[in-house]
Amino acid sequence: VNQILLLLLVLTVCAILYNKVHRVPSALKNEPVDLESPEEMEEEIPVVICAAAGRMGAAIAAISSIYSNTEANVLFYIVGLKTTILHIRKWIENSKLKEIKFKVVEFNPMVLKGKIRQDASRPELLQPLNFVRFYLPLLIQNHEKVIYLDDDIIVQGDIQELYDTKLAPGHAAAFSDDCDLPSTHEMVRSVGMQNTYMGFLDYRRQAIRDLGISPSTCSFNPGVIVANMTEWKHQRITKQLEKWMQRNVEENLYSSTLGGGVATSPMLIVFHGKYSTINPLWHIRHLGWSPDTRYSEHFLQEAKLLHWNGRYKPWDYPSVHTDLWERWFIPDPSGKFKLTRPDS
């Protein structure tokens, strides 16, 4: 019996050796070959942008600028309401952007029912799509890392650089500090903007004072976000944001006279002391705060991302540095969206 077992073992070893020596390379077989291992495949960069009624041209310009300045594998998630998604899809498919990879996602505004306090001074800030950033894990599936961008931006650098932003362990997001740039300081002083928590939260309210956050703490701008979806879900960020939205409805905790950020304020609370920072050149903002204040041309050329946050948008009039925005704008094939210019 032992001799038979030994013979079978020898035969098995010989068969294995024969197969190794005489194996036919897969490239010579009639079979498909995967030339790239999963580790070598190009990583997909998900970028979330909203397409709101009346300003869809903004989303188009933002997408155009990103697509034109990178070789990265970008997947655009274009979020809209039911009434706008057909328009934005046709705009893309009938323009040079038809080559981009994109998904159109419908946002259901019913998730905000009872969570938004009406504000007559800045009604545009109450538009449902302003709160899309609160619900990123519910809208975007199968991505560990996501970039969220406001629509009133253009990107002059390679979006891969922004995606490569390092998030510290335990941080669900990275933002730009509002005190991080000398030129920003000059812009803030010149138009009387707020760049601290005092400009967004009502410190007369006990609930705000109980947070223990100094009113002079630098705020951050959530118009550009690099987010870690695993941490976001683990820390239940969406639930935390909704809690502060609900409390604001009941207690009026946000000051709208200066910051006006009904979407910014809950993020300032939830992410206080718990976020990583984005390279300052990847979020040059405040271009929309005044039609008179301008950045230097040299500074704008160095900027990787420009943000027209504020009332004065580059597709309207008056506004500043519209040439930098308009070079990426693609006219609406349907003719519904038009630029507002002095001679129009």
Side-chain angles (χ1 to χ4, degrees), residues 128-190:
L129 295 181
N130 282 337
F131 301 91
V132 161
R133 70 199 91 185
F134 289 16
Y135 297 95
L136 291 176
L138 303 181
L139 295 167
I140 312 304
Q141 306 294 327
N142 306 319
H143 294 288
E144 171 72 9
K145 199 174 186 182
V146 172
I147 294 174
Y148 167 87
L149 300 175
D150 277 354
D151 61 358
D152 51 355
I153 64 100
I154 60 110
V155 172
Q156 300 185 136
D158 186 341
I159 199 72
Q160 181 75 54
E161 293 179 26
L162 181 60
Y163 185 76
D164 289 341
T165 298
K166 300 295 183 185
L167 274 67
H171 285 178
F175 306 98
S176 294
D177 281 319
D178 280 334
C179 300
D180 61 5
L181 213 57
S183 293
T184 298
H185 299 168
E186 295 168 13
M187 182 76 83
V188 167
R189 284 196 299 269
S190 66

Side-chain angles (χ1 to χ4, degrees), residues 56-57 60-61 64 87 90-92 94-97 325-339:
M56 275 186 277
I60 289 292
S64 173
H87 185 183
K90 286 188 173 181
W91 197 332
I92 291 170
N94 289 282
S95 73
K96 66 180 183 181
L97 293 180
W325 181 88
E326 201 166 332
R327 67 179 296 195
W328 305 111
F329 174 69
I330 299 171
D332 182 0
S334 73
K336 294 177 184 176
F337 182 92
K338 294 182 173 65
L339 302 182

Side-chain angles (χ1 to χ4, degrees), residues 55-299:
R55 48 191 289 164
M56 275 186 277
I60 289 292
I63 292 168
S64 173
S65 69
I66 295 166
Y67 179 65
S68 301
N69 287 306
T70 188
E71 296 294 326
N73 181 21
V74 180
L75 172 60
F76 292 98
Y77 283 86
I78 304 168
V79 186
L81 301 180
K82 189 173 184 179
T83 55
T84 62
I85 55 179
L86 181 60
H87 185 183
I88 196 73
R89 181 183 292 278
K90 286 188 173 181
W91 197 332
I92 291 170
E93 292 175 348
N94 289 282
S95 73
K96 66 180 183 181
L97 293 180
K98 62 187 176 185
E99 302 298 329
I100 70 170
K101 291 172 59 179
F102 73 101
K103 294 181 179 180
V104 175
V105 181
E106 181 182 344
F107 182 68
N108 184 356
M110 289 304 294
V111 300
L112 302 172
K113 188 176 181 180
K115 300 184 182 75
I116 301 176
R117 186 183 184 87
Q118 296 304 309
D119 184 354
S121 64
R122 296 287 304 276
E124 74 276 11
L125 295 175
L126 302 178
Q127 296 301 317
L129 295 181
N130 282 337
F131 301 91
V132 161
R133 70 199 91 185
F134 289 16
Y135 297 95
L136 291 176
L138 303 181
L139 295 167
I140 312 304
Q141 306 294 327
N142 306 319
H143 294 288
E144 171 72 9
K145 199 174 186 182
V146 172
I147 294 174
Y148 167 87
L149 300 175
D150 277 354
D151 61 358
D152 51 355
I153 64 100
I154 60 110
V155 172
Q156 300 185 136
D158 186 341
I159 199 72
Q160 181 75 54
E161 293 179 26
L162 181 60
Y163 185 76
D164 289 341
T165 298
K166 300 295 183 185
L167 274 67
H171 285 178
F175 306 98
S176 294
D177 281 319
D178 280 334
C179 300
D180 61 5
L181 213 57
S183 293
T184 298
H185 299 168
E186 295 168 13
M187 182 76 83
V188 167
R189 284 196 299 269
S190 66
V191 297
M193 289 184 302
Q194 288 293 317
N195 63 344
T196 64
Y197 273 57
M198 177 66 83
F200 294 89
L201 305 179
D202 190 345
Y203 277 83
R204 296 171 299 178
R205 307 294 180 183
Q206 188 62 45
I208 298 301
R209 294 199 298 272
D210 288 345
L211 291 169
I213 303 173
S214 169
S216 62
T217 300
C218 279
S219 55
F220 58 81
N221 188 300
V224 176
I225 308 172
V226 181
N228 180 310
M229 292 293 93
T230 300
E231 281 295 337
W232 193 292
K233 288 181 279 192
H234 175 70
Q235 297 178 34
R236 297 170 62 85
I237 296 294
T238 297
K239 289 295 183 185
Q240 292 188 59
L241 292 167
E242 288 186 323
K243 181 191 80 171
W244 284 103
M245 293 169 73
Q246 191 67 53
R247 289 197 67 174
N248 183 57
V249 171
E250 299 163 0
E251 304 173 49
N252 194 18
L253 303 176
Y254 310 158
S255 171
S256 61
T257 55
L258 294 172
V262 291
T264 297
S265 299
M267 298 198 83
L268 291 177
I269 295 172
V270 171
F271 284 100
H272 173 252
K274 295 185 293 186
Y275 65 91
S276 300
T277 55
I278 291 171
N279 180 334
L281 288 177
W282 268 101
H283 196 178
I284 305 304
R285 46 213 178 276
H286 310 314
L287 276 74
W289 277 91
S290 168
D292 303 313
T293 307
R294 302 175 66 89
Y295 282 117
S296 73
E297 292 302 322
H298 174 73
F299 183 72

